[in-house]
Amino acid sequence: MDVAIVGIGIHPFGRTPGLSGMQQGAVAARDALKDAGIEWKDIQFAFGGSASSGNADALSNELGLTGIPFMNVANGCATGGSSLISAYNTIKSGLFDLGMVTGFDKHDRGAFDADPEALGLGRWYGEVGMMLTTQFFAMKIQKYMHQYGISKETLARVAEKAFLNGSLNPNAWRRQPVSVEEIAGAMMVNDPLTKYMFCAPAEGGVALVLCRADKARQYTDTPIYLKSAVLKSRRYGSFEVFAPSQALVEAEGPTYDAAKAAFEMAGVGPADIDVMQLQDTESGAEIMHMAENGFCEHGEQEHLIQSGATRIDGSMPVNTDGGCLANGEPIGASGLRQVYETVLQLRHAAGDHQVPGEPRLGYTHVYGAPGISAVTILQR
């Protein structure tokens, strides 16, 4: 049984002092219901996640106490992707016909404050400074740049593209273009990554309405079909955030495994994808994820990014809404934002940041600590 997305809703990302994270989630949920032409009482089940704004199931207090099963999901930055996969599998099983996926958050300013013991690590891991994700990301991209010849200018060009795309997206947080020179010359956070090369904890909410594909046109004239939805965790030897050591023989990471399985499930390949959203916690992540998801060979990113291939009008548009760099990362909503954007693109309704040529196939990828990747492939 196939699954379709028939309603989408979003609360703009960034800072909204007057609303809690949960209230932002409720705004997104109501918009998604309206988009599908239904009411909350029509929803048969829901999955959702939030890292800092309460249990997602408490949205029922805002939307209505209808008695449905509403399951909370927590999976780091892959929370949104995990919620979507849970709902996808629920409909595929035949248990329910119509459901909602939602995610929202409202994070404090500053870096995420992770707890090593919650991830099975000793307190020593935080005491020596390794719990600071900016440091890990910098170490990983340093290693990658050395291995594959990626330049610092290319790191800056990833961020430049993100802010340019964000300036075209009315729901983005960062809506001002920033030049390559300013990005490269900004305050260094962890070498080689400057402050403009990192995303920031943020606020926002996203909701999606899913249903059985054979019922999709009851709700919308432009259903978008989930051709695959896959989540994988790390294998021994993969080099992932919060790893206490690195194996002598390095294995492929969870992104590689999730992408391979998703393409097989959908019966398509990387060359068939028209628009893609890839996790860009920082500039280096987007570069590495281009290859890990199968869209190029390691090292080819240098030419592709410098040539403009990843821009909205390029041959392989990446993070068309500005990605995490321009939107920030509210953990519960971030992966669902990627799907929201891809649905817009496949509906040909993305406005100023619309990919030309009427895209038909879209791809989303989200990565979370301590080594979880979720991938979806969507088709018009």
Side-chain angles (χ1 to χ4, degrees), residues 35-298:
D35 189 44
I38 59 175
E39 299 179 16
W40 173 244
K41 66 181 181 179
D42 300 315
I43 294 293
Q44 299 169 348
F45 74 96
F47 284 88
S50 174
S52 64
S53 296
N55 291 339
D57 71 287
L59 268 182
S60 297
N61 295 328
E62 297 273 348
L63 301 174
L65 300 174
T66 58
I68 64 168
F70 196 138
M71 284 144 282
N72 296 303
V73 178
N75 224 0
C77 298
T79 292
S82 302
S83 298
L84 179 61
I85 288 168
S86 300
Y88 169 83
N89 288 332
T90 297
I91 293 174
K92 291 277 284 186
S93 74
L95 186 60
F96 293 111
D97 296 339
L98 183 68
M100 176 175 283
V101 179
T102 184
F104 54 86
D105 259 311
K106 188 182 183 81
H107 298 305
D108 293 334
R109 297 173 186 272
F112 289 117
D113 185 16
D115 176 7
E117 292 179 303
L119 293 160
L121 299 167
R123 293 181 64 182
W124 66 267
Y125 193 83
E127 291 168 353
V128 299
M130 293 302 295
M131 210 66 199
L132 193 63
T133 53
T134 58
Q135 181 165 302
F136 169 83
F137 292 135
M139 290 170 60
K140 188 168 184 177
I141 193 59
Q142 278 183 20
K143 178 174 181 285
Y144 195 87
M145 292 167 71
H146 174 75
Q147 285 180 302
Y148 298 110
I150 305 298
S151 68
K152 290 186 178 182
E153 182 185 344
T154 293
L155 289 175
R157 289 205 176 277
V158 170
E160 178 203 29
K161 170 183 64 68
F163 295 126
L164 177 61
N165 292 356
S167 73
L168 304 174
N169 173 15
N171 293 308
W173 182 11
R174 311 296 190 190
R175 303 210 53 215
Q176 293 294 325
V178 185
S179 70
V180 166
E181 294 74 21
E182 188 174 355
I183 293 165
M187 180 185 74
M188 186 65 68
V189 178
N190 285 95
D191 191 30
L193 299 169
T194 70
K195 70 174 184 177
Y196 288 123
M197 296 178 187
F198 284 100
C199 78
E203 305 176 20
V206 178
L208 311 171
V209 176
L210 283 67
C211 76
R212 285 174 41 161
D214 59 354
K215 295 177 179 276
R217 292 196 178 272
Q218 296 177 20
Y219 308 106
T220 180
D221 293 331
T222 54
I224 302 300
Y225 300 98
L226 265 169
K227 303 307 292 182
S228 61
V230 176
L231 184 141
K232 295 286 187 179
S233 62
R234 66 202 182 283
R235 291 187 278 131
Y236 178 73
S238 63
F239 185 33
E240 309 302 331
V241 63
F242 301 147
S245 62
Q246 186 176 0
L248 292 176
V249 179
E250 192 169 334
E252 297 286 2
T255 292
Y256 174 88
D257 292 338
K260 184 173 183 290
F263 283 124
E264 288 175 358
M265 184 183 294
V268 300
D272 298 312
I273 301 299
D274 299 310
V275 58
M276 63 203 72
Q277 319 302 329
L278 307 179
Q279 180 83 354
D280 61 331
T281 317
E282 32 73 33
S283 292
E286 180 173 318
I287 293 170
M288 291 182 285
H289 289 149
M290 286 170 62
E292 290 178 8
N293 282 282
F295 294 107
C296 66
E297 296 297 324
H298 294 292

Side-chain angles (χ1 to χ4, degrees), residues 11 17-30 53 59 62 104:
H11 182 281
L19 291 179
S20 69
M22 192 172 297
Q23 287 170 330
Q24 293 177 51
V27 168
R30 293 187 185 104
S53 296
L59 268 182
E62 297 273 348
F104 54 86

